[in-house]
């Protein structure tokens, strides 16, 4: 059922695992001032309570970690390059050599095990300076800084990395302007027009990355990355069906532009109806025609929509809005669990685009309860995670049987890391346990969870035996 050479693996992001936030010339990124993730206020400068400053110390322990991932049989490892390691402020003329060296070592380590790196160029970690000086992606200037950054890393790693993603969950800028778009202006003060303008700058920059990347190495495979939350109608009422479609369009627009090279009609109509007039230069229209090689997605949940705004009360964990689905159960953090939604979204994208798809994030954030053994080791029996992954992978398999071309699947946070939305350690996704707690205590030692052996077997049998 899963094709030969299917890319099984895991995914992380630099800012959630590397730590070493100010080592070897790294600049401060927007994450370094977000000690409470999406929920809390940002601080003026990095504060010790921010777990991301040390992360899981991947910067110093990546060799040990990759060894474990290789033991699980990973074919692919998704990580991001921290922009602020390469250009500490974001506007320098010359890159930081030490930052470049780190990723050379990391990719060399991947190669040692035959693991393909899959690299996100921008994963919620824009240099803070660009946020403060320009209000992040609201400024067209960011396109130029991003172009210099991506050109630098494409040149640098052109023989080490083949698979690239331009922006993590690019559509989330509408929902989380600071984390996603480095926009300092508070969300309540931003107009929709300003948000869509910032989104347009990112879409344009993304298309530039595709062009620059292909010029540097024509074998590069460059994809977009969409936070995929399928929207179901809350009832069979046709008005609810249309409401669901409308909410879905907010996200689909981002994939449509990346794949079709132009804004879809429904988006233009939405802009018109809402008095949104975007500054789109002629050269932007040209560059948008540089379309992606594949579409990648994160998938955690589905949501529902209703035409009646009274009913549209947002669920606690509905990251892109919508109302909770009464038929589904939720994780402890209110994220509704819907394995079939993953198949639904894969089939929808395939029917829409006929482009290869890549599931680059999926997983369960859950509290683990390690058992302390007499010999000092920790045992973690995470059957709930195995169950979650099994059910989702089954649906990926079903989509493939139904004709969808899926390149690979990477489990989010394959090694425990700091959560993006809550900045906690206790919201764990990993198959490798990291001994670190929400108060920052812990040895940082790594332990294999029960899911480690399970996933190892899944990969060894190429998904035949879940
Ligand atoms: C995705 C992000 O939205 O979800 C990741 O790309 C994030 O960075 C992941 O970690 C899981 O979310 P959280 O908030 O549980 O860490």
């Amino acid at each position: 059922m899963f094709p030969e050479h299917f890319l099984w693996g895991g995914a992380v992001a630099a800012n959630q695992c590397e730590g070493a936030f100010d080592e070897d010339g790294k600049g401060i990124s927007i994450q370094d001032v977000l000690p409470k993730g999406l929920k809390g206020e940002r601080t003026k400068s990095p504060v010790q309570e921010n777990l991301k400053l040390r992360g899981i110390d991947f910067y110093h322990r990546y060799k040990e970690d990759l060894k474990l991932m290789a033991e699980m049989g990973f074919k692919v490892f998704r990580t991001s390059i921290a922009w602020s390691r390469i250009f500490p402020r974001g506007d320098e003329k010359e890159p930081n050599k030490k930052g470049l060296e780190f990723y050379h070592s990391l990719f060399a380590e991947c190669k040692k095990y035959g693991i393909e790196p899959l690299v996100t160029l921008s994963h919620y970690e824009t240099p803070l300076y660009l946020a403060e000086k320009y209000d992040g992606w609201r400024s067209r200037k960011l396109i130029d800084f991003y172009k210099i950054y991506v050109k630098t890393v494409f040149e640098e790693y052109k023989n080490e990395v083949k698979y690239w993603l331009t922006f993590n969950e690019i559509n989330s800028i509408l929902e989380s302007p600071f984390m996603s778009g480095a926009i300092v202006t508070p969300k309540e003060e931003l107009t929709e027009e300003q948000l869509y303008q910032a989104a347009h700058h990112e879409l344009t920059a993304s298309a530039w990355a595709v062009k620059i990347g292909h010029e540097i190495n024509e074998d590069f495979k460059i994809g977009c990355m969409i936070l995929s939350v399928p929207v179901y109608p809350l009832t069979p009422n046709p008005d609810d069906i249309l409401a669901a479609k409308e909410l879905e369009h907010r996200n689909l627009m981002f994939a449509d532009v990346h794949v079709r090279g132009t804004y879809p009609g429904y988006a233009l109509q939405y802009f018109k109806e809402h008095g949104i007039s975007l500054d789109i230069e002629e050269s932007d229209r040209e560059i948008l025609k540089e379309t992606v090689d594949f579409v990648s997605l994160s998938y955690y949940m589905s949501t529902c929509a209703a035409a009646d705004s009274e009913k549209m009360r947002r669920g606690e964990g509905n990251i892109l809005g919508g109302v909770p689905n009464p038929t589904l159960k939720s994780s402890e953090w209110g994220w509704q669990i819907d394995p079939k939604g993953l198949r639904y979204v894969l089939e929808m994208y395939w029917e829409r685009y006929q482009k290869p798809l890549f599931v680059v994030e999926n997983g369960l954030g859950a509290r683990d309860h390690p058992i302390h053994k007499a010999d000092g080791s920790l045992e973690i029996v995470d059957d709930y995670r195995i169950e979650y992954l099994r059910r989702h992978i089954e649906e990926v398999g079903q989509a493939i049987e139904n004709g969808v071309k899926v390149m690979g699947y990477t489990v989010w946070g394959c090694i425990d890391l700091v959560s993006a939305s809550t900045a906690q350690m206790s919201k764990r996704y990993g198959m490798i346990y990291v001994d670190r707690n929400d108060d920052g205590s812990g040895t940082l030692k790594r332990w294999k969870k029960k899911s480690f052996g399970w996933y190892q077997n899944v990969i060894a049998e190429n998904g035949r035996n879940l």
Side-chain angles (χ1 to χ4, degrees), residues 217-261:
N217 184 342
E218 59 184 21
D219 293 332
F220 277 174
K221 297 284 175 223
I222 307 174
C224 57
M225 201 295 210
I226 310 293
L227 168 51
S228 298
V229 180
V231 189
Y232 308 141
L234 193 59
T235 74
N237 182 327
D239 285 335
D240 286 351
I241 291 174
L242 290 178
K245 197 167 178 177
E246 201 172 297
L247 187 56
E248 191 125 74
H249 276 163
R250 263 171 87 81
N251 302 316
L252 281 177
M253 182 197 89
F254 289 82
D256 282 357
V257 173
H258 274 106
V259 178
R260 296 174 171 157

Side-chain angles (χ1 to χ4, degrees), residues 4-17:
E4 218 190 326
H5 309 303
F6 188 75
L7 291 168
W8 295 100
V12 299
N15 71 86
Q16 293 172 257
C17 69

Side-chain angles (χ1 to χ4, degrees), residues 301-312:
M301 66 182 71
S302 57
T303 192
C304 293
D308 177 355
S309 56
E310 277 293 290
K311 289 193 193 142
M312 278 301 278

Side-chain angles (χ1 to χ4, degrees), residues 60-254:
H60 299 112
R61 297 172 195 239
Y62 66 92
K63 290 193 177 163
E64 181 193 343
D65 294 340
L66 278 167
K67 190 163 180 243
L68 287 167
M69 293 176 201
E71 195 183 323
M72 258 189 282
F74 278 23
K75 314 281 182 227
V76 65
F77 173 58
R78 174 182 175 225
T79 189
S80 63
I81 293 179
W83 187 347
S84 62
R85 266 193 210 291
I86 311 301
F87 290 99
R89 295 186 351 164
D91 67 345
E92 294 87 345
K93 296 264 172 301
E94 294 302 323
N96 170 29
K97 293 248 160 7
K98 288 237 162 118
L100 292 174
E101 275 163 28
F102 169 68
Y103 294 104
H104 275 302
S105 318
L106 178 63
F107 301 145
E109 205 60 21
C110 290
K111 188 158 185 213
K112 181 166 139 191
Y113 297 111
I115 297 176
E116 279 287 348
L118 164 63
V119 175
T120 317
L121 291 157
S122 179
H123 191 129
Y124 296 167
E125 52 206 356
T126 310
L128 182 64
Y129 178 81
L130 297 183
E132 290 182 335
K133 172 102 199 258
Y134 299 99
D135 213 4
W137 283 93
R138 279 191 64 200
S139 166
R140 184 169 271 281
K141 284 222 173 228
L142 270 270
I143 301 176
D144 294 327
F145 297 132
Y146 179 83
K147 277 166 71 181
I148 294 170
Y149 159 62
V150 301
K151 185 162 190 285
T152 305
V153 296
F154 282 153
E155 290 279 8
E156 193 72 27
Y157 307 117
K158 62 173 180 265
N159 300 318
E160 290 150 66
V161 177
K162 178 174 171 190
Y163 297 99
W164 301 91
L165 305 177
T166 56
F167 286 92
N168 183 60
E169 299 183 334
I170 187 164
N171 47 324
S172 64
I173 191 169
L174 301 179
E175 207 50 46
S176 316
F178 183 65
M179 191 180 284
S180 185
I183 299 173
V184 170
T185 304
K187 189 177 172 192
E188 323 72 76
E189 291 171 27
L190 290 165
T191 63
E192 252 204 315
E193 182 175 82
Q194 288 167 333
L195 276 175
Y196 275 104
Q197 185 66 49
H200 171 71
H201 293 148
E202 283 201 349
L203 285 165
T204 307
S206 181
W208 272 109
V210 174
K211 180 176 165 63
I212 296 168
H214 285 151
E215 278 167 7
I216 290 172
N217 184 342
E218 59 184 21
D219 293 332
F220 277 174
K221 297 284 175 223
I222 307 174
C224 57
M225 201 295 210
I226 310 293
L227 168 51
S228 298
V229 180
V231 189
Y232 308 141
L234 193 59
T235 74
N237 182 327
D239 285 335
D240 286 351
I241 291 174
L242 290 178
K245 197 167 178 177
E246 201 172 297
L247 187 56
E248 191 125 74
H249 276 163
R250 263 171 87 81
N251 302 316
L252 281 177
M253 182 197 89
F254 289 82

Side-chain angles (χ1 to χ4, degrees), residues 12-13 15-16 31 38 78 123-124 168-169 172 179 225 227 298 300 319 333 335 361 363-365 412-413 417-424 427-429:
V12 299
N15 71 86
Q16 293 172 257
Q31 289 292 345
L38 278 178
R78 174 182 175 225
H123 191 129
Y124 296 167
N168 183 60
E169 299 183 334
S172 64
M179 191 180 284
M225 201 295 210
L227 168 51
S298 61
Y300 295 95
I319 39 185
W333 279 266
W335 291 25
E361 280 189 36
L364 177 68
W412 174 251
L417 36 65
V418 184
S419 148
S421 60
T422 65
Q424 293 169 298
K427 193 179 185 195
R428 297 173 183 274
Y429 286 84

Side-chain angles (χ1 to χ4, degrees), residues 434-449:
V434 177
D435 181 18
R436 194 171 191 222
N437 306 307
D438 285 345
D439 62 4
S441 64
T443 60
L444 284 169
K445 271 188 91 164
R446 279 58 169 150
W447 301 97
K448 297 175 195 170
K449 301 183 194 177

